[in-house]
Amino acid sequence: MRVLIVEDEPYMAEAIRDGLRLEAIAADIAGDGDTALELLNINTYDIAVLDRDVPGPSGDEIAKRIVASGSGMPVLMLTAADRLDDKASGFERGADDHLTKPFELLELVLRLRALDRRRAHHRPPVREIAGLRLDPFRREVPGVGYRIDTAPATGHGGGDRG
């Protein structure tokens, strides 16, 4: 599992990343909304963990953009906002889960795994053909590191044949 952590408190972000690493969960850190959006454009993540109050586009705005992208990526809001109306507004903007700070790392790990399990039901299966494994969801060939261009091919015929 690969997670994007959007957290502007460096020690908190690094502690989360290091704790997730011990649980075999890869994580990248973005300390602000602009960096988060940049990372989301160039990397494929399974889950986004968003602090609502980061500089630049807020966690709420990032959640809205993730939902609008149609990627289906789950969003977990990790924030000090603990009032019901704060949680409700996060869910309304696209959050799939909410965890209030302070929190136990184990609870975050359990929630991430649960979100990943739910999402796994919607992933196309990894195919193996002639010893080559293909993961169409992540658009990569595991173990080789190649990305696969899923854009429709152009200029190779296939037009109308009148």
Side-chain angles (χ1 to χ4, degrees):
M1 177 184 344
R2 186 171 185 192
V3 175
L4 175 62
I5 301 166
V6 183
E7 169 62 62
D8 61 335
E9 180 66 38
Y11 295 117
M12 170 75 78
E14 291 169 11
I16 294 169
R17 182 196 57 208
D18 294 347
L20 293 179
R21 187 177 296 152
L22 292 173
E23 297 292 331
I25 299 172
D28 293 337
I29 297 172
D32 59 70
D34 290 322
T35 303
L37 294 174
E38 182 179 329
L39 289 172
L40 286 165
N41 282 328
I42 61 175
N43 296 311
T44 302
Y45 295 100
D46 297 304
I47 302 171
V49 177
L50 308 177
D51 182 359
R52 295 181 75 177
D53 300 319
V54 293
S58 69
D60 289 342
E61 178 60 29
I62 296 165
K64 283 173 30 179
R65 292 190 192 187
I66 290 170
V67 170
S69 76
S71 69
M73 179 190 322
V75 172
L76 185 146
M77 290 290 195
L78 182 62
T79 177
D82 62 352
R83 296 185 336 210
L84 181 57
D85 59 330
D86 292 326
K87 293 177 186 180
S89 69
F91 284 118
E92 289 168 359
R93 287 173 174 81
D96 298 283
D97 199 356
H98 187 283
L99 186 57
T100 304
K101 296 177 187 174
F103 62 94
E104 295 288 333
L105 182 66
L106 177 58
E107 184 175 4
L108 174 61
V109 168
L110 293 171
R111 288 171 182 263
L112 291 173
R113 288 184 178 150
L115 288 169
D116 193 49
R117 270 194 312 273
R118 279 186 236 138
R119 183 176 174 160
H121 294 294
H122 302 293
R123 292 182 191 152
V126 174
R127 305 269 189 219
E128 187 164 343
I129 302 166
L132 186 66
R133 295 185 65 210
L134 173 69
D135 186 339
F137 175 75
R138 293 184 183 204
R139 300 184 318 246
E140 64 187 22
V141 180
V144 179
Y146 291 115
R147 301 273 308 155
I148 302 165
D149 183 7
T150 58
T154 59
H156 300 291
D160 291 337
R161 297 184 184 200

